[in-house]
Amino acid sequence: MTETGTDPEVTSLSDRLAAEALIVDVDGYEGPLDVLLALSRTQKVDLRQISILALAQQYLAFVEKARELRIELAADYLVMAAWLAFLKSRLLLPPDPSEEGPSGEELAAHLAFQLERLEAMREASARLMARDQKGRDFFVRGISEDVTAVRRTTWTATLLDLMQAYARVRTKDEFRPYALDREKLMTMEQALDRLRHLIGFAGEWTDILSYLPEGWGGDPQMRRSATASTFAASLELVKEGRASIRQSGTFAPIHIRRRDG
Amino acid sequence: MAEDQDRTEEPVNESLFEAPPMGEQERMVEAILFASAEPVSIREMAGRMPHGSEPAEAVANLRRRYEGRGVNVVRVGEAWAIRTAPDLGFLMKKEVVETRKLSRAAIETLAIVAYHQPVTRAEIEEIRGVSVSRGTIDQLLELEWIRLGRRKMTPGRPVTFIVTPAFLDHFGLETARDLPGLKDLRAAGLLDNRPPPGEGEPEEDDRQEEMFGAAPPEPDEAPEE
Amino acid sequence: MAEDQDRTEEPVNESLFEAPPMGEQERMVEAILFASAEPVSIREMAGRMPHGSEPAEAVANLRRRYEGRGVNVVRVGEAWAIRTAPDLGFLMKKEVVETRKLSRAAIETLAIVAYHQPVTRAEIEEIRGVSVSRGTIDQLLELEWIRLGRRKMTPGRPVTFIVTPAFLDHFGLETARDLPGLKDLRAAGLLDNRPPPGEGEPEEDDRQEEMFGAAPPEPDEAPEE
């Protein structure tokens, strides 16, 4: 035991080894409860029959010894010491009926319970770690196959979407950008409408090209569209039995005329 | 165990060590093949198993045991592995359903079919002012929201499209007639107050009644997919 | 929406496609479990198997089939997995990187969480008699052996910790009820949260009953002294 305390570790260690049955290695303990549990084992009895009084005395001796050895004890060790000193006095003195609070026996019982519970958890953790463990005792599938996700898309729309879409379509006329394209196309319905009216006047064979509406003969695209539609419409009228159609040769002009009856 | 690896196949060992029973060896091979990340050769198995084991025989037994099961013992080059039975590969796929909004083209086309049915493709294009792609129509057919109606009695007898009961179900409509009219749309602020020239209410005539009444079976049903 | 569509089709499917025979379902479950390193829930199996399948029954059959084999069908919480038989561990190359050696504090904390779950940090400290370092909790969280449970309905609403399916998987436990010695500990009152004398009563115990499922109600008595 040096006066200077420049190297307390070495000194305390040798002192401890020499002088003490109880090895006070505070670093090795996890708090006062741990120390108490270690001390309680020296009583060599079931934890349920432990003498808390004896344990309190042992602990106080331990703290005293640590102090002698100039070991820096954390505050909670000292708090426990103070509490145990109090508990000891309670256990030794006859109960004072005027005293408030739990009796010494109750406090002692609770401490015994805490020790027993800690011991139980220690045993439980040991048993847990002794179990077969994955990757050590049993193994998972070595060649695992990933489940590939197959994406399936479902489509959805609400009634509002539908109404908005329709409203959009119906109001498009005012600003629709594709109107020009459509103007160059004649639909079959348009041609048919026109022909139905005109065929009644075709008593003679007439080139179908003469039925092209005004203004549709110039622009090649419009002309093509009008010719095709008019021809298709002519065929339709023939099918309906309202007209006859003829062509004298390949690429020759196509004529139609009204068919009566 | 590792240091014995090279000697295991020598017959001498058989007399020195009692090999485990074949059933036990089969268990061992099973565990080894299951847990290994790579196919395992007979030699490697022998290296891990107790002396005198016959992994080749154990593998052969195990292979028979797994015949017709959900996984099979298969040979991969010089080694062995446990693999999913080929016919069960589909189980390794998980379907992820993703819900997406219909494209603008699709919803507009659908709206036109709903309001104008039966309607031809040419008419849809006429109303939308743009051509309708095959894909858009196909998508709506696939969703079973539209189907083919009767052919139209006009030149070329074009097919028409009509909406389906699934469509009505999805949009919570009892009949297509329950679709809000242009007046309603206008009242809801969805339409400009000025009706475009020459555009009236969408026709809700008896054609529609036909479609949703006791409609006779259509000769040209949409292909069910 | 999409669900609507599914719903409308369901009755059709049931009559159109019959579930595969149980033997076939067993094969499927076998393939699914073999393919996965992680436990697979019944729900997930059902999602991958044909409509009308009974994966729970198939798993039960499969489990019996693998009894005593080199690999076993084991339950992990609400899920199932195939694992090598523990007695054959010696055959395996220990390729698995050993998890960092757990400190005594970490092991004890883990045990306390497992046996006392859901448990607050203060309760863990109360039991160990020493403060629990942040690192200890972090390590267990990182291993995914514990996770946060519900907040406790006590002042301050402290968070609680519970063990995870990964914990069960690692230690080969079917459920947290199968923790070794759990019943004895509970019978001895050692899992009670007893307040120090003179302090308020804790509300307790039915919580734990929940966590451990349908455990028979334990008489809430003190250990005989």
Side-chain angles (χ1 to χ4, degrees):
Chain A
M1 227 163 285
T2 57
E3 293 285 320
T4 55
T6 45
D7 198 359
E9 269 312 304
V10 171
T11 317
S12 61
L13 183 68
S14 54
D15 278 357
R16 259 181 279 153
L17 287 172
E20 202 49 56
L22 168 69
I23 299 188
V24 184
D25 178 5
V26 174
D27 288 338
Y29 287 103
E30 290 202 78
L33 205 57
D34 191 25
V35 171
L36 281 168
L37 189 58
L39 291 172
S40 69
R41 290 208 187 90
T42 64
Q43 293 192 16
K44 292 193 173 77
V45 290
D46 188 317
L47 271 182
R48 293 176 193 195
Q49 271 112 55
I50 196 166
S51 160
I52 291 294
L53 189 56
L55 189 61
Q57 266 157 351
Q58 279 175 285
Y59 183 86
L60 293 173
F62 156 82
V63 171
E64 193 51 41
K65 183 58 78 181
R67 213 172 261 158
E68 271 173 31
L69 297 176
R70 304 197 174 202
I71 294 169
E72 278 299 317
L73 280 181
D76 47 349
Y77 284 84
L78 302 177
V79 171
M80 178 62 88
W83 186 80
L84 284 174
F86 162 76
L87 175 62
K88 195 175 122 187
S89 67
R90 278 248 167 149
L91 289 172
L92 289 173
L93 297 172
D96 180 354
S98 68
E99 195 105 37
E100 293 274 310
S103 71
E105 277 73 23
E106 282 170 334
L107 293 172
H110 187 70
L111 179 58
F113 167 73
Q114 283 180 292
L115 291 173
E116 202 191 338
R117 185 173 61 179
L118 179 59
E119 174 87 341
M121 281 302 110
R122 294 248 158 103
E123 281 166 11
S125 59
R127 263 187 289 179
L128 188 65
M129 296 316 278
R131 285 186 68 83
D132 291 332
Q133 289 182 42
K134 190 172 82 176
R136 189 186 78 184
D137 305 293
F138 62 89
F139 294 82
V140 305
R141 179 69 164 136
I143 310 173
S144 56
E145 286 174 58
D146 286 332
V147 178
T148 51
V150 181
R151 224 160 265 291
R152 185 166 68 91
T153 308
T154 63
W155 300 91
T156 188
T158 65
L159 187 58
L160 186 64
D161 294 332
L162 194 74
M163 287 162 55
Q164 281 172 335
Y166 190 64
R168 201 160 56 224
V169 168
R170 296 310 297 257
T171 52
K172 205 179 262 174
D173 293 344
E174 289 145 77
F175 50 86
R176 70 180 185 191
Y178 298 103
L180 281 179
D181 296 342
R182 301 301 303 179
E183 274 172 11
K184 291 185 177 184
L185 295 177
M186 178 185 281
T187 66
M188 200 191 311
E189 281 82 356
Q190 281 175 294
L192 193 60
D193 269 350
R194 185 177 165 78
L195 267 192
R196 277 191 209 284
H197 292 296
L198 296 176
I199 192 68
F201 305 103
E204 302 294 334
W205 290 108
T206 317
D207 189 335
I208 59 167
L209 291 184
S210 64
Y211 287 103
L212 294 197
E214 214 169 314
W216 285 77
D219 179 81
Q221 199 186 334
M222 292 172 75
R223 184 185 160 84
R224 203 160 49 235
S225 170
T227 304
S229 300
T230 304
F231 172 62
S234 305
L235 291 176
E236 187 58 30
L237 290 180
V238 169
K239 207 163 114 200
E240 287 176 14
R242 299 188 54 199
S244 301
I245 193 164
R246 76 172 191 193
Q247 187 181 30
S248 54
T250 313
F251 298 118
I254 295 164
H255 296 100
I256 55 169
R257 76 169 179 204
R258 183 186 72 219
R259 192 171 154 184
D260 296 309
Chain B
M1 240 166 289
E3 70 275 14
D4 300 328
Q5 223 156 3
D6 294 330
R7 293 186 290 125
T8 44
E9 276 161 8
E10 288 168 29
V12 189
N13 288 327
E14 274 170 33
S15 56
L16 287 178
F17 301 93
E18 189 87 35
M22 186 44 68
E24 202 51 30
Q25 292 187 37
E26 220 186 285
R27 288 183 75 228
M28 293 177 181
V29 166
E30 189 175 35
I32 290 172
L33 291 185
F34 173 84
S36 298
E38 305 286 333
V40 188
S41 67
I42 297 293
R43 191 188 169 80
E44 200 185 334
M45 288 179 224
R48 292 207 230 159
M49 291 163 69
H51 277 294
S53 295
E54 303 272 11
E57 193 186 333
V59 166
N61 292 345
L62 195 68
R63 184 181 209 181
R64 275 194 296 279
R65 187 188 279 274
Y66 275 99
E67 261 166 30
R69 303 293 315 162
V71 292
N72 304 138
V73 175
V74 298
R75 193 184 174 134
V76 183
E78 291 305 299
W80 295 86
I82 297 179
R83 289 280 159 83
T84 307
D87 65 314
L88 296 180
F90 73 94
L91 291 170
M92 304 307 138
K93 293 183 189 126
K94 186 162 59 179
E95 207 173 65
V96 180
V97 178
E98 198 181 22
T99 303
R100 301 232 304 251
K101 279 257 180 205
L102 274 186
S103 70
R104 181 174 163 147
I107 189 77
E108 284 183 11
T109 303
L110 180 64
I112 293 167
V113 174
Y115 277 94
H116 292 265
Q117 64 173 348
V119 65
T120 67
R121 183 164 170 171
E123 287 165 348
I124 296 168
E125 296 189 336
E126 177 68 26
I127 295 167
R128 278 197 72 215
V130 281
S131 67
V132 174
S133 80
R134 179 81 230 159
T136 301
I137 298 277
D138 284 350
Q139 186 185 17
L140 294 173
L141 286 170
E142 228 167 80
L143 279 168
E144 296 184 354
W145 281 353
I146 67 172
R147 64 183 181 88
L148 296 181
R150 286 176 302 186
R151 286 182 181 275
K152 211 167 178 185
M153 298 310 283
T154 53
R157 307 206 64 219
V159 297
T160 61
F161 298 101
I162 58 177
V163 293
T164 63
F167 164 88
L168 297 176
D169 191 36
H170 180 93
F171 289 95
L173 299 164
E174 280 198 11
T175 74
R177 287 211 206 180
D178 295 341
L179 275 172
L182 284 187
K183 246 186 274 165
D184 305 316
L185 294 182
R186 212 168 279 130
L190 292 170
L191 269 185
D192 208 296
N193 273 326
R194 291 170 290 120
E199 302 274 359
E201 293 288 309
E203 297 168 61
E204 289 174 6
D205 55 22
D206 40 14
R207 284 180 311 145
Q208 275 193 2
E209 197 68 79
E210 266 173 61
M211 304 312 309
F212 290 100
E218 300 290 337
D220 329 281
E221 289 284 40
E224 272 131 72
E225 249 146 328
Chain C
M1 311 273 136
E3 301 90 80
D4 289 343
Q5 258 179 329
D6 287 347
R7 181 149 39 76
T8 52
E9 275 168 28
E10 215 158 67
V12 183
N13 280 344
E14 268 168 27
S15 55
L16 277 184
F17 306 104
E18 224 158 275
M22 188 42 70
E24 201 51 27
Q25 291 188 35
E26 210 188 295
R27 287 184 74 228
M28 293 178 184
V29 165
E30 190 174 33
I32 290 172
L33 291 184
F34 257 91
S36 174
E38 300 297 321
V40 185
S41 69
I42 294 291
R43 190 191 169 80
E44 199 185 331
M45 290 179 223
R48 282 156 66 182
M49 291 165 70
H51 198 81
S53 295
E54 304 271 9
E57 192 186 334
V59 166
N61 293 342
L62 195 71
R63 181 180 214 183
R64 278 193 295 277
R65 182 183 287 273
Y66 276 92
E67 263 165 27
R69 297 272 296 274
V71 295
N72 303 137
V73 176
V74 300
R75 180 176 157 195
V76 182
E78 297 305 306
W80 295 85
I82 295 182
R83 301 285 182 247
T84 62
D87 65 312
L88 299 177
F90 72 94
L91 292 168
M92 306 304 152
K93 284 196 210 154
K94 311 275 157 69
E95 296 158 338
V96 184
V97 185
E98 283 274 328
T99 45
R100 255 185 304 163
K101 199 135 177 61
L102 286 180
S103 66
R104 183 173 128 180
I107 294 169
E108 279 182 25
T109 302
L110 178 64
I112 291 167
V113 173
Y115 283 84
H116 288 262
Q117 66 174 341
V119 65
T120 66
R121 188 171 175 150
E123 287 164 346
I124 297 169
E125 295 183 340
E126 159 78 14
I127 292 168
R128 296 199 65 232
V130 65
S131 66
V132 175
S133 82
R134 179 81 236 161
T136 300
I137 297 278
D138 284 350
Q139 192 183 11
L140 295 173
L141 286 170
E142 231 168 75
L143 280 167
E144 296 188 354
W145 283 353
I146 67 171
R147 65 179 180 86
L148 295 180
R150 287 177 303 181
R151 283 180 182 277
K152 211 173 168 185
M153 299 307 282
T154 52
R157 308 206 65 216
V159 297
T160 61
F161 297 100
I162 58 178
V163 292
T164 63
F167 164 85
L168 299 177
D169 189 24
H170 185 91
F171 290 99
L173 293 161
E174 290 204 355
T175 71
R177 282 191 298 276
D178 300 321
L179 283 164
L182 182 72
K183 260 195 206 124
D184 296 340
L185 287 173
R186 187 180 293 163
L190 290 171
L191 301 184
D192 297 350
N193 185 13
R194 255 191 249 173
E199 288 183 23
E201 288 292 306
E203 44 66 68
E204 150 79 2
D205 263 9
D206 37 9
R207 287 177 316 139
Q208 219 182 47
E209 215 66 72
E210 265 174 60
M211 293 303 303
F212 289 101
E218 299 286 345
D220 209 1
E221 67 203 10
E224 53 279 270
E225 234 138 337

